[in-house]
Amino acid sequence: MKRIVTFGEIMLRLKSPGHQRLLQSPLLEATFGGGEANVAVSLAKFGQNVDFLTVLPNNKLGDLCVQELKKHGVNTQKIIRNNGRMGIYFLEAGVNQLPSKVIYDREYSAISQAQVGDIDWDDVFEEVDWYHISGITPAISETTMQLAMESVKKAKQKKIKVSCDLNFRKKLWNYGKEASEVMSELIRYVDVAIANEEDCQKSLGIDLDLNVIDQSFDINKYKRLSDKVLAEYPNLELIAITLRESESASINKWSACMNDRKEFFVSTKYKINDIIDRVGGGDAFCAGLIYALINDMDHRSALEFAVAASCLKHSINGDFNLIEISDVELILLGDQSGRVQR
């Protein structure tokens, strides 16, 4: 079986119950989450051999985090324990016209203080076939940016397939560099890019008449956007762009497109009512796409698998997409009824 490594920060996630405002009640739901960790958990649920690499503090929270990842089948042997704290994010889940809100509390986290030299990439990438990272990791701190850049360069030297979810996070780019300055260099070592329209524009500086709030969704504009990205970065084999049409915080339409330089594919569109939790939806898409590609699905089928998997994530509370291949296959067969299975 092929081996996959993902690298990034995992945080303690503190969420107000249901759709309450933060501290409307004294309760907070405590779980774990973070982009690359979410991808690792999804891939493990799909039966893949996946390692998650991060830096965790030497305390009980770090221990509990490792236990949680192991519970879901993720390999944790590559995790580094060091000084610092665990990052936290607070989540207030939106509903109807009230949007979801995220507050980060991740300064001085253990991974943000990791230095070049702390990670032995030759050891990390031994007998590895696929490496996944996101645009969140180089945004955390200047040193994580340096580690992220070092990692993709080393992966390409070893001829490992590299995927990157561009994941623009405006609140994180605070150490003096612009996202486009860093990501336009990092992506030159990437084979498979995953993004939404805002990621392409803010992380890569690709200018096109597209607005994340715009609900018109002219698919021809996404074709031109993907063509521009592929023209700018000839190393890319393909780019997949997720398409979210938000009628409200509770009702979204979800689909994606893919450009592999030969064809431009547009997936099935799912209307998702009564969203339980959309956080981690993009990570679920990444995991579905990686699973499909590493298992040699054709590109159209890979896109459909990824969209179906991430559609299901919207019905699961927490960052992790706790579904199996059979759940995805059912929706791919056209069963969206949600009927009880006996």
Side-chain angles (χ1 to χ4, degrees), residues 165-171 173 179-180 183 194-214 217 222 225 229 239 241-244 278:
D165 185 351
L166 297 182
N167 261 342
F168 175 71
R169 295 292 185 269
K170 180 180 179 180
K171 293 180 179 180
W173 288 95
S180 57
M183 295 305 296
I194 301 141
N196 62 25
E197 65 276 13
E198 183 183 34
D199 297 330
C200 292
Q201 295 178 94
K202 299 293 179 60
S203 291
L204 300 181
I206 302 292
D207 187 29
L208 202 67
D209 180 25
L210 275 170
N211 189 320
V212 70
I213 305 301
D214 181 17
F217 274 82
Y222 288 88
L225 176 63
V229 174
I239 180 169
I241 301 175
T242 55
L243 309 173
R244 183 182 296 278
R278 58 161 282 183

Side-chain angles (χ1 to χ4, degrees), residues 6 9-11 13 32-46 50 52 69 74 89 132 136 167 169 278-288 313 318-322:
T6 76
E9 182 169 27
I10 185 168
M11 294 171 288
R13 165 180 149 147
F32 295 101
E36 294 89 347
N38 299 342
V39 173
V41 169
S42 287
L43 287 166
K45 291 293 183 185
F46 292 153
V50 57
F52 175 57
L69 291 165
V74 175
Y89 87 89
H132 178 74
I136 296 173
N167 261 342
R169 295 292 185 269
R278 58 161 282 183
V279 176
D283 305 320
F285 178 87
C286 292
K313 167 63 191 74
D319 266 47
F320 300 156
N321 194 20
L322 305 178

Side-chain angles (χ1 to χ4, degrees), residues 93-276:
V95 63
N96 298 322
Q97 281 68 44
L98 185 68
S100 297
K101 296 179 182 177
V102 170
I103 299 172
Y104 290 125
D105 177 21
R106 56 203 296 183
E107 284 190 89
Y108 307 109
S109 65
I111 193 172
S112 74
Q113 299 180 77
Q115 305 289 318
V116 170
D118 288 350
I119 298 174
D120 182 347
W121 293 108
D122 287 314
D123 178 64
V124 168
F125 289 142
E126 186 176 354
E127 299 183 357
V128 167
D129 302 282
W130 194 293
Y131 174 55
H132 178 74
I133 194 170
S134 83
I136 296 173
T137 302
I140 296 168
S141 70
E142 188 162 11
T143 56
T144 59
M145 178 272 290
Q146 293 166 352
L147 285 167
M149 202 69 71
E150 184 182 47
S151 73
V152 294
K153 290 178 180 179
K154 179 63 73 171
K156 291 319 297 174
Q157 288 176 12
K158 292 180 173 292
K159 296 181 169 51
I160 295 168
K161 192 80 73 176
V162 178
S163 59
C164 180
D165 185 351
L166 297 182
N167 261 342
F168 175 71
R169 295 292 185 269
K170 180 180 179 180
K171 293 180 179 180
L172 294 184
W173 288 95
N174 296 318
Y175 59 86
K177 290 188 179 292
E178 297 291 330
S180 57
E181 179 183 356
V182 173
M183 295 305 296
S184 60
E185 173 64 17
L186 187 146
I187 200 172
R188 297 186 188 280
Y189 301 92
V190 171
D191 301 291
V192 175
I194 301 141
N196 62 25
E197 65 276 13
E198 183 183 34
D199 297 330
C200 292
Q201 295 178 94
K202 299 293 179 60
S203 291
L204 300 181
I206 302 292
D207 187 29
L208 202 67
D209 180 25
L210 275 170
N211 189 320
V212 70
I213 305 301
D214 181 17
Q215 296 299 297
S216 61
F217 274 82
D218 181 350
I219 200 64
N220 293 316
K221 289 185 177 181
Y222 288 88
K223 170 65 163 63
R224 293 198 297 274
L225 176 63
S226 61
D227 283 340
K228 289 186 74 170
V229 174
L230 293 176
E232 182 71 24
Y233 301 100
N235 54 289
L236 287 174
E237 294 179 8
L238 62 86
I239 180 169
I241 301 175
T242 55
L243 309 173
R244 183 182 296 278
E245 300 170 71
S246 295
E247 294 185 17
S248 70
S250 305
I251 302 173
N252 288 183
K253 293 176 183 175
W254 179 250
S255 59
C257 58
M258 178 193 290
N259 190 331
D260 66 2
R261 298 187 180 274
K262 296 177 182 178
E263 292 186 71
F264 180 73
F265 307 99
V266 181
S267 78
T268 300
K269 182 183 293 187
Y270 297 96
K271 185 170 184 179
I272 310 170
N273 298 294
D274 302 318
I275 291 172
I276 301 299

Side-chain angles (χ1 to χ4, degrees), residues 25-71:
S25 80
L27 304 178
L28 288 172
E29 299 171 358
T31 54
F32 295 101
E36 294 89 347
N38 299 342
V39 173
V41 169
S42 287
L43 287 166
K45 291 293 183 185
F46 292 153
Q48 301 304 287
N49 185 1
V50 57
D51 284 84
F52 175 57
L53 170 64
T54 193
V55 183
L56 288 176
N58 271 316
N59 60 26
K60 186 62 176 180
L61 276 177
D63 296 342
L64 291 170
C65 183
V66 170
Q67 291 174 24
E68 183 70 12
L69 291 165
K70 285 181 176 179
K71 182 178 79 174

Side-chain angles (χ1 to χ4, degrees), residues 15 72 75 176 179-180 217 221 231 262 283 328 333 342:
K15 177 186 173 294
H72 295 296
N75 300 324
S180 57
F217 274 82
K221 289 185 177 181
K262 296 177 182 178
D283 305 320
V328 184
L333 290 172
R342 295 187 173 94

